Amino acid sequence: RHSKIFDDNSYTTQHYLKQQLKLAIATMASISSRVVGLRTLRLLAGRTVHHRPFSSMNVARPTITSTRTALVRVPHAFLSTTTEKSESTTESTTDSASESAPPKESMVFQAETRQLLDIVTNSLYTDKEVFLRELVSNASDALEKLRHVQSTGVASLAISDDELPLEICIVANADEGTLTITDTGIGLSREEMIDNLGTIARSGSKAFLAKLGEDSEQGDSFDTSKGIIGKFGVGFYSAFMVGERVEVRSKSAYASHENETPKVWSSDGTGTFDIGDFVSGDDDEQERGASIVIHLKEQFMEFSDPDKIEEILQKYSNFVNFPITLNGNVVNTMEAVWAKEAKDVSDETYTAFYRYVANALDEPLDKIHFRADAPIDVKALFFVPSFHSEKYGMGRMEPGVSLYSRKVLIEAKSPDILPDWMRFVKGVVDSEDLPLSVSREKAQDSALIAKLRKVLTRKFISHLTQMAKKKPDKYQGEFYKEFGFFLKEGICSDFDVQEPLAKLLYFETSKSMRGDMISLDQYVSNCAPEQQDIYYIHAPSRDMAMQSPYMEAFEKTGREVILVYSDLDDFVMANLEKYEGRKLVSVEKADIELPKEDDDEENESSDATASSATLSEQEAIEFCNWFRVTLNDKVSKCQTTTRLGSSPAVVTDNESGAMRRMMRMVDTTEGGRDGIPLPKQQVQINPKHAIILGMNVIRESEPTLAKVLAEQIFDNCLMAAGLLDDGRSMLPRLNDILTTVVKDAQSTVSSVDAVDDDDDDSPTESQASSAPLVEEEETKQDDKKADP
């Protein structure tokens, strides 16, 4: 009749159809508890056959469908059915059939279904322990459905055993190697067992939500959908990861099924499942709801240990809406604080919850409890601890915020929900609309998660901004002192939030008192109108920064300089580049333009080592050429400068000392520092300094000594700039210089001793030409005066 729709494969299809019909007729004939009449057979013969395209590699079977699915379950559930023959004959009466054991049907998964079951069991989930989360979530859904039905008050949906509490009971039996999860929820009828358990990826919860959607259009406003967890229909089969056999015992909660015998579904997960009546014993009576009994595999007997089960429950399911008991003890005693309104939560509750999620003993420094509706509806509760562990050398911290969906843990310490620099933050993020992977172990939509991360990050930064304005003492004295490092890391790594994070930075300056810090906004407000740049200097400490030769010109002109002490601070300044339209400039730059100081101020600030004498223009050119040629492998350019007072020279436009140290730290080549040679430097000299003037005099008469002094001055410049890799390289040269000084001193002392005590007190000509270092050393002797 229908052969024309099968094209060239009509013979194959008709042959398969005949075989299926024979199998179906034989199956019904063997059911002793039913009498199949002629009319039923005619209905069977008149079924419509729906064609599915055949593949050249694998001939697919056409599927037979019928409205009489109660008679033959094979087509409806995509199953092939065989029935065990009972001892009674087809002529047996109904009474004689009822006296024998209830018939038990054994149903076989088709090849495609078996493959899917194998994937779900062995490949879908990362951690085996997740099976308990899935089964508890299913139990919670069953209870949520029952609560909805009870609230409707519809007579046709009356509930049996209405006094039973809504709860989840778990029994771990190490002696028998079983784990039982029982709920007093909506339960399953025989048909629902076949439909929902016999068909993989068929979600009863999803169908229930679809029904709720239809009801809401008719005016039913009960929002049960917020409590429903499941949606994929595969969580139940995770039980086969750890169980060699799984039984589901259930009794439907509807009053219409009150007098029916509870049913039991069982399978070993390899290809078949059995379904029949459950015979209750003294210890395992099945009331309303469902019980899942997992007979554990030998290698997974750890899941029969109550302590292990309690650990898993507290990790994944501690905030389920219904009480969970384990061997008689309630285990989920902690409330989902983030789901409440902030005004309804006490400080003591916040502290207890913080200690739970952070696994800490201290009290939180601060908290932020909020709800956001873009890009999806989320609830979040963040805590700032009172301290962090990275400063104690305990290694890099893991992310501190966990991802939940409908109060069930999806991903502990999620690395995706917040940027890495916020790893010090502890707390939870929960969303009912979060798209999840099938295994529900990770969020699925990466683009959506990225948008959510931006929203959460900016919300946290906004909270810190308010703290800095309204509670400056708490922000600077407690938060910034402990966690400022992470904000700086965020500026270097998270370019989307550089600008708002920069407003949260605080530094000491050359004009502030020791320990007092100001923000970049305050620095800008202190600037003179003509100042277009923000100046900073990197040094290990405040004292070393203030003694730096680079600070001399800024002290004379009254320019304020930001003091940064750590290598990270140097990276922060380099990454920011600008703030509020002003460039961030290191004081080590050569082309800094500063206002000229007044003559009076210059005279007052003149240093004792400075002299009115200075190199002439020609002498300066010749000295710079000599200096550059003498240190040809180290110096690329030498010129005079007016920015220096008490220092003979500096290097400018050099690479960051912090960056160089970082490069050396990560360098893995053999040879140590030789793998990263220092580039040639630009040197600026002070033409008025006594050392420069003296070197200019002796560079021709004492070329060896002059070269040694030039090398020492250059290393001094590198030391001031933080570029000297190892100060020990200067020791041989310093010893030579000291030897020269000592010999000159000895020569001077010998000359003094040779003079008769009665001679004139005036110094001899040879003594007057002694080295300046000797004269300086003599003036330091308080109890002695120069006596020729």
Side-chain angles (χ1 to χ4, degrees), residues 333-376:
T333 56
M334 183 67 63
E335 293 182 284
V337 178
W338 70 85
K340 296 184 174 183
E341 294 291 334
K343 59 183 178 62
D344 299 330
V345 184
S346 64
D347 291 339
E348 292 76 11
T349 302
Y350 276 127
T351 299
F353 185 75
Y354 159 74
R355 290 172 176 172
Y356 169 79
V357 297
N359 193 24
L361 298 176
D362 61 319
E363 292 190 3
L365 175 64
D366 197 25
K367 65 180 183 299
I368 171 172
H369 188 177
F370 66 96
R371 178 173 182 172
D373 55 5
I376 55 176

Side-chain angles (χ1 to χ4, degrees), residues 559-583:
R559 287 285 191 257
E560 189 172 18
V561 178
I562 293 175
L563 311 181
V564 297
Y565 302 134
S566 68
D567 291 345
L568 181 58
D569 289 333
D570 201 16
F571 296 144
V572 168
M573 296 301 182
N575 276 273
L576 275 179
E577 295 184 350
K578 286 186 177 183
Y579 182 80
E580 298 293 339
R582 299 172 186 255
K583 290 184 179 180

Side-chain angles (χ1 to χ4, degrees), residues 253-271:
Y254 292 108
S256 57
H257 296 276
E258 185 173 5
N259 296 326
E260 292 184 1
T261 303
K263 305 301 178 184
V264 58
W265 181 101
S266 62
S267 175
D268 59 3
T270 59

Side-chain angles (χ1 to χ4, degrees), residues 643-658:
R643 65 185 292 177
L644 298 175
S646 61
S647 300
V650 291
V651 293
T652 58
D653 291 336
N654 51 276
E655 66 175 324
S656 165

Side-chain angles (χ1 to χ4, degrees), residues 192-213:
E192 290 171 332
M193 281 186 169
I194 295 175
D195 290 347
N196 296 329
L197 304 183
T199 305
I200 300 176
R202 178 191 177 105
S203 173
S205 295
K206 189 174 182 179
F208 183 77
L209 289 177
K211 180 62 168 61
L212 282 183

